[in-house]
Amino acid sequence: MPDNEDSLVANNRTRPGLLPLGKLTRWQWWLLVAANIFLLLFGQIVAVLLGRFYYDQGGNSKWMATLVQTIGFPILFIPYFLFPSSKKSSATINTSFSLSVIFSIYIILGAVIAGDNMLYSVGLLYLSASTYSLICATQLAFNAVFSYFINSQKFTVLIFNSVVVLSLSASLLSVNDDSDKPSGVTNAQYVLGFVVTLIASAFYALLLSVTQLCFQKVIKKETFSVVLELSIYTSFFATCFSIFGLFASGEWRTLGGELNGFGKGSLAYVMTFVGTAVACQVCSVGVVGLIFLVSSLFSNVISTLSLSLTPLAAVIVLHAKMNGVKIIAMLMGLWGFCTYIYQNYLDDDDAKKKQTDATVSSDTFTPLLHQ
């Protein structure tokens, strides 16, 4: 990545409607990237740990755990209004598609997000935070496959290696011993948690590829404000679907009992939900920030890195057990992550060389045109 930092900054300076970033120096740009990486890592790790804490202390509402993952979306209006110049460019969304089509996409994506969050909630209910995070890391492998078929992403040897290693890492966890299971979880529930988390990771990777396709074919704009608008609207509709699920399932009737019987008290119960909602949106800001500053691929790579780091945080904060199988799985996950990001580095370096060659060729032929 360092080899192409000049071109990345230059690209940001030439994109329309992004005047504040156009004034950034190279080190300021990297500082902003580092800040967004921190937001993503911090938000995602905290959200997973608080979700596991909720279940450990007596919480059992899967729809409530789903709802808090998106209900904090109004926080996104803060960075949205900090970029007023970008909002003008968002008005130039491709007019070949009507607003009804755009909002239909938002509604569909919102429904998929709500369903995916529900699967994640079920997985976290039956798995430890460390096992849950290591399985979620397979989203990078799924992303490689979906990007190949949907976004025409090339499938290199390094990416193939990443897919295989991450798949083997998840397979190791599937045969892990019973010492990893949360208290009261049966073997059948453990297997169910493993399967639904794997499915949720696949859906999340598919969602990323479909979102990128929407930017390319429908919205045709990838400014910071447009990315935030998509996050806000899809989170709003996902929240609506989650609220409907909460009441339709009847789980809302159990919330009073959960509040009174929560292991750490009613205040901790409320603060757990508040903290999870804020952490999810902090993570969301980091995700969209990295999409805006670098790419959606880079954002997903950093997201996968946070999932590989979560087991260490779970050991420190929740005193989770870290057996030999999970250590090997985590190391394999980190290796898969490294090979994937190295491929990204090679692609960027190759793109820079082609850009340099094109510039040299242009400078060579320019004098001839004036003879």
Side-chain angles (χ1 to χ4, degrees):
M1 293 299 296
D3 285 344
N4 68 331
E5 57 190 8
D6 290 326
S7 62
L8 287 172
V9 176
N11 288 339
N12 281 330
R13 285 175 178 168
T14 59
R15 292 165 70 177
L18 303 179
L19 184 59
L21 284 180
K23 298 180 179 179
L24 293 179
T25 62
R26 184 173 62 183
W27 72 266
Q28 288 174 327
W29 183 86
W30 272 108
L31 185 64
L32 193 56
V33 170
N36 280 278
I37 290 176
F38 172 78
L39 291 176
L40 195 161
L41 295 176
F42 176 81
Q44 188 153 308
I45 291 174
V46 170
V48 172
L49 295 182
L50 286 177
R52 185 62 254 173
F53 176 78
Y54 164 71
Y55 289 130
D56 288 342
Q57 297 302 316
N60 196 47
S61 174
K62 296 180 286 294
W63 277 112
M64 194 64 190
T66 300
L67 176 62
V68 296
Q69 295 181 54
T70 54
I71 199 171
F73 71 89
I75 297 175
L76 296 179
F77 282 109
I78 297 175
Y80 179 74
F81 286 117
L82 289 178
F83 289 86
S85 60
S86 313
K87 289 188 291 183
K88 295 178 181 179
S89 65
S90 68
T92 63
I93 291 177
N94 183 23
T95 55
S96 62
F97 292 89
S98 64
L99 288 178
S100 61
V101 173
I102 301 296
F103 272 90
S104 296
I105 292 174
Y106 290 157
I107 293 173
I108 294 172
L109 291 179
V112 173
I113 290 172
D116 198 43
N117 288 344
M118 179 61 175
L119 292 175
Y120 277 129
S121 298
V122 174
L124 191 55
L125 174 61
Y126 298 134
L127 300 174
S128 67
S130 54
T131 300
Y132 167 85
S133 298
L134 290 171
I135 296 173
C136 287
T138 59
Q139 71 188 38
L140 192 58
F142 286 118
N143 184 242
V145 176
F146 289 129
S147 294
Y148 175 79
F149 289 104
I150 298 177
N151 308 120
S152 300
Q153 175 75 34
K154 65 179 180 179
F155 209 78
T156 65
V157 174
L158 288 175
I159 292 180
F160 179 76
N161 173 78
S162 177
V163 172
V164 172
V165 170
L166 287 169
S167 299
L168 290 175
S169 174
S171 299
L172 277 177
L173 294 173
S174 68
V175 296
N176 196 16
D177 59 29
D178 294 346
S179 62
D180 174 63
K181 294 187 302 185
S183 177
V185 174
T186 66
N187 290 332
Q189 290 173 330
Y190 180 86
V191 172
L192 175 63
F194 176 88
V195 172
V196 298
T197 303
L198 197 62
I199 294 174
S201 299
F203 269 108
Y204 179 77
L206 178 62
L207 184 66
L208 288 179
S209 294
V210 171
T211 300
Q212 181 177 341
L213 185 66
C214 289
F215 274 119
Q216 294 172 341
K217 303 298 183 181
V218 181
I219 299 176
K220 294 187 177 180
K221 224 34 164 170
E222 198 169 343
T223 61
F224 189 47
S225 61
V226 172
V227 174
L228 279 176
E229 285 172 8
L230 185 142
S231 298
I232 290 171
Y233 285 122
T234 55
S235 294
F236 168 76
F237 288 117
T239 299
C240 292
F241 284 115
S242 299
I243 292 175
F244 175 80
L246 178 65
F247 283 92
S249 66
E251 285 189 0
W252 65 274
R253 298 188 183 93
T254 67
L255 298 182
E258 282 191 1
L259 177 65
N260 296 326
F262 199 66
K264 295 296 184 180
S266 57
L267 179 60
Y269 180 81
V270 174
M271 294 307 297
T272 298
F273 283 146
V274 172
T276 303
V278 173
C280 287
Q281 297 311 312
V282 167
C283 175
S284 179
V285 170
V287 168
V288 298
L290 290 178
I291 290 174
F292 170 62
L293 291 168
V294 188
S295 69
S296 59
L297 174 62
F298 185 81
S299 180
N300 191 31
V301 167
I302 299 300
S303 178
T304 305
L305 175 62
S306 74
L307 293 170
S308 298
L309 296 177
T310 300
L312 298 178
V315 171
I316 297 172
V317 178
L318 300 178
H319 307 291
K321 297 179 181 179
M322 180 62 77
N323 56 35
V325 173
K326 285 201 289 186
I327 291 176
I328 294 174
M330 184 177 67
L331 293 176
M332 291 178 67
L334 289 173
W335 175 254
F337 159 80
C338 290
T339 58
Y340 202 84
I341 198 170
Y342 182 64
Q343 180 61 62
N344 189 40
Y345 163 78
L346 292 178
D347 291 341
D348 287 338
D349 189 54
D350 183 59
K352 182 184 177 183
K353 288 179 180 178
K354 290 181 179 179
Q355 183 179 11
T356 302
D357 292 341
T359 302
V360 171
S361 299
S362 176
D363 292 340
T364 302
F365 284 103
T366 298
L368 296 177
L369 295 176
H370 294 283
Q371 289 181 359

